[in-house]
Amino acid sequence: MLKMSDLIIDTAKTVGKEPPKVTDVRPKYEYRDKVRTSNILGYNYETVFPGMRMEKLNVAIEGPALLEAPNGYYDVQFDGLEIYIFWAGGENHIGARAKGVKVLKDNT
């Protein structure tokens, strides 16, 4: 039986060629038994994708913060960007993760 987690999305075709724009950076906390702990696993980079009609999507990157929260936005390039579908709370959701991020242009 095929599971949603087995689907592979062609990220390059989905997000387009225009650089994504990071608009905020927030910690990603660990949860245990549906309760948030104080343990930070990584950071969520709130990102607007021009190739996706300016839809916002949080891109999770494990480890320490790689960028400061901008006062505007950064044009960025993600290393190893993956977009996936997951099921939570009785609904389908779209998630994103990457291995790294590099600022192409600082628009702050």
Side-chain angles (χ1 to χ4, degrees):
M1 173 191 247
L2 182 66
K3 298 184 289 184
M4 276 193 297
S5 60
D6 294 333
L7 297 175
I8 298 171
I9 297 173
D10 187 326
T11 303
K13 287 183 181 177
T14 301
V15 301
K17 295 183 193 248
E18 192 172 335
K21 299 163 186 335
V22 168
T23 57
D24 198 7
V25 178
R26 293 183 310 276
K28 180 181 176 186
Y29 291 94
E30 176 182 32
Y31 282 79
R32 288 190 193 137
D33 299 322
K34 299 182 182 179
V35 177
R36 187 174 99 172
T37 70
S38 60
N39 186 29
I40 297 173
L41 299 174
Y43 286 81
N44 283 317
Y45 298 81
E46 183 179 85
T47 306
V48 176
F49 289 91
M52 294 172 52
R53 296 180 304 247
M54 300 303 278
E55 287 289 330
K56 284 186 184 178
L57 189 59
N58 285 324
V59 178
I61 300 177
E62 293 184 14
L66 301 175
L67 302 176
E68 299 274 330
N71 252 350
Y73 65 92
Y74 303 122
D75 287 337
V76 300
Q77 178 181 348
F78 286 104
D79 177 33
L81 179 64
E82 296 178 351
I83 296 177
Y84 57 94
I85 300 169
F86 66 98
W87 182 264
E91 296 181 351
N92 291 321
H93 298 274
I94 298 173
R97 61 183 158 244
K99 295 178 183 175
V101 62
K102 177 174 97 173
V103 174
L104 301 175
K105 184 177 179 189
D106 185 343
N107 296 293
T108 58

